Amino acid sequence: MNVIRAQVSDVPDAAPLFAAYREFYGGAYDLEASATFLTDRLTHGESIVLLARDDEGSAIGFTQIYPIFSSTQLTRVWLLNDLFVSPEARGTGAVDALLDTAATLAKDAGVTAIELATAHTNERAQAVYDRSGYLLDEVFRHYELPIS
């Protein structure tokens, strides 16, 4: 298992995983749109994409992180916005490798916390975050204002 910080040249390997992730959350599987989105984020330095590869070099999982700031803490934090491991690679340790790499990079970058959210119904992901040391926020409620 190898986790790398993806570059634009890795988008062809990451895009199918990103498209499957979007499909998992109810979006259309759109490989071209997924590749364009990832390319734009990486080209503009707007996100960090970590890509897990198996021992044969095949891409089996990814996470996308957005660097943000906490005004109340006056620090850098990261928003771990996307995390996906292909169904056939689940249980191989890929998710742990991705989360561990994200935490190591965050520490090295002086980040004070990694924040994330997942669907209320995604109990498998919740179990992963619980065992990985993430704490459930009992204070704040998440809201969203759709802009159309």
Side-chain angles (χ1 to χ4, degrees):
M1 179 84 48
N2 184 32
V3 176
I4 63 160
R5 183 167 177 171
Q7 306 299 315
V8 172
S9 60
D10 297 302
V11 167
D13 293 335
L17 294 164
F18 186 54
Y21 164 81
R22 293 184 65 249
E23 186 178 45
F24 177 83
Y25 277 106
Y29 185 95
D30 188 332
L31 187 57
E32 183 177 334
S34 296
T36 298
F37 186 87
L38 289 174
T39 299
D40 287 347
R41 300 295 70 73
L42 292 171
T43 299
H44 295 100
E46 296 170 336
S47 74
I48 297 164
V49 175
L50 301 178
L51 190 60
R53 295 183 183 277
D54 63 17
D55 293 336
E56 287 76 44
S58 298
I60 58 171
F62 86 101
T63 187
Q64 183 163 214
I65 300 161
Y66 296 103
I68 58 174
F69 296 90
S70 170
S71 299
T72 57
Q73 297 175 37
L74 302 175
T75 61
R76 292 180 181 273
V77 296
W78 281 359
L79 174 62
L80 194 151
N81 202 69
D82 313 312
L83 176 64
F84 183 80
V85 173
S86 62
E88 59 276 4
R90 292 180 186 158
T92 64
V95 73
D96 297 319
L98 287 163
L99 291 173
D100 291 348
T101 302
T104 298
L105 292 176
K107 185 176 181 179
D108 292 347
V111 171
T112 59
I114 298 175
E115 300 177 354
L116 59 82
T118 192
H120 292 283
T121 57
N122 194 346
E123 293 177 0
R124 184 174 185 148
Q126 292 167 32
V128 167
Y129 301 136
D130 287 342
R131 79 163 191 260
S132 298
Y134 286 78
L135 304 174
L136 181 62
D137 188 332
E138 301 285 351
V139 177
F140 294 99
R141 187 178 295 251
H142 176 81
Y143 287 89
E144 180 177 297
L145 175 64
I147 307 295
S148 50

